[in-house]
Amino acid sequence: QKEVEQDPGPLSVPEGAIVSLNCTYSNSAFQYFMWYRQYSRKGPELLMYTYSSGNKEDGRFTAQVDKSSKYISLFIRDSQPSDSATYLCAMSASGGSNYKLTFGKGTLLTVNP
Amino acid sequence: GAGVSQSPSNKVTEKGKDVELRCDPISGHTALYWYRQRLGQGLEFLIYFQGNSAPDKSGLPSDRFSAERTGESVSTLTIQRTQQEDSAVYLCASSSRLSSGYTFGSGTRLTVV
């Protein structure tokens, strides 16, 4: 079992839809959870950063962490064609190696106008 | 600079040749990371530099891979005797602290033929 599992999609939605992206993980030591967005032929850019459990909202984006289920989610409201990209979840453990991120494979999202 | 700069953006090399990839981090970022992104795979951690501390090289896949960084400036990743399985996008990132997340460069797309 991989440490981080992410459905690669592809996921195709109409403009304005609510998008739900998810990752599961097996390492209970993970404490830091991130979502990155990667456009084609570009580097990933940080969208959301969460420590431990709970929700975090930033504009149209909401990140949720459920440590009891080892499950994290990213919700995108009122999705736009410009949201079309690959979304990567990433996480790390606390302690001395917290800089070392473990990534999911990414979910390819297309928002159709 | 305003972002993390990587060069070259694309590199095609013959099997067995050595290649050198360059990363120029954001000024003031003490931490620098190299990751590898193979087709259909998640990002894989390669190496981490933090200031003048000894680097964490635990992710380097073989002794053909090496990296250097002088102080808090430019880093180079060298792959000796390249193999076809080295074909990937090599991403460099820098950060000032983990809670701000990484800032990635656009990567070097390496193709070994």
Side-chain angles (χ1 to χ4, degrees):
Chain A
Q1 181 188 11
K2 290 192 179 297
E3 277 195 299
V4 179
E5 299 276 3
Q6 183 176 9
D7 186 340
L11 183 61
S12 182
V13 301
E15 183 174 354
I18 297 174
V19 176
S20 173
L21 304 167
N22 312 292
C23 289
T24 59
Y25 63 95
S26 58
N27 187 346
S28 58
F30 286 147
Q31 297 279 351
Y32 300 92
F33 303 92
M34 284 143 271
W35 286 94
Y36 283 83
R37 178 174 62 195
Q38 187 175 24
Y39 292 114
S40 181
R41 295 189 172 263
K42 296 292 186 183
E45 58 177 318
L46 181 68
L47 278 178
M48 300 288 282
Y49 174 94
T50 310
Y51 172 71
S52 195
S53 285
N55 295 357
K56 185 173 184 178
E57 188 173 321
D58 184 2
R60 296 184 295 111
F61 298 90
T62 300
Q64 290 185 350
V65 175
D66 181 350
K67 291 188 65 184
S68 63
S69 302
K70 296 190 178 68
Y71 186 87
I72 69 171
S73 302
L74 178 71
F75 297 95
I76 307 173
R77 291 183 299 280
D78 187 26
S79 56
Q80 302 295 309
S82 58
D83 295 328
S84 298
T86 297
Y87 289 80
L88 306 165
C89 63
M91 46 199 82
S92 68
S94 60
S97 297
N98 61 356
Y99 53 82
K100 192 181 295 185
L101 299 186
T102 301
F103 282 83
K105 291 184 179 181
T107 300
L108 178 61
L109 171 67
T110 300
V111 181
N112 301 298
Chain B
V4 177
S5 178
Q6 291 189 246
S7 60
S9 55
N10 285 283
K11 177 73 176 179
V12 179
T13 190
E14 292 181 351
K15 179 181 172 180
K17 300 281 190 185
D18 298 352
V19 295
E20 188 173 279
L21 313 180
R22 177 186 167 104
C23 173
D24 199 344
I26 292 173
S27 178
H29 280 190
T30 57
L32 186 146
Y33 319 80
W34 285 97
Y35 279 76
R36 178 171 70 176
Q37 188 174 32
R38 289 191 281 192
L39 193 64
Q41 303 297 314
L43 276 72
E44 303 169 75
F45 169 81
L46 296 178
I47 189 168
Y48 162 71
F49 295 92
Q50 173 62 53
N52 293 317
S53 302
D56 177 352
K57 304 180 180 180
S58 61
L60 294 178
S62 77
D63 59 8
R64 295 186 296 104
F65 288 72
S66 62
E68 291 184 351
R69 186 186 189 197
T70 304
E72 296 181 358
S73 61
V74 170
S75 175
T76 55
L77 176 68
T78 301
I79 309 173
Q80 296 178 309
R81 305 181 303 281
T82 51
Q83 304 295 311
Q84 287 186 327
E85 63 262 27
D86 299 334
S87 296
V89 177
Y90 289 83
L91 289 159
C92 175
S94 68
S95 70
S96 56
R97 61 185 189 280
L98 179 64
S99 60
S100 61
Y102 296 178
T103 301
F104 281 91
S106 292
T108 293
R109 186 173 300 271
L110 176 66
T111 304
V112 182
V113 298

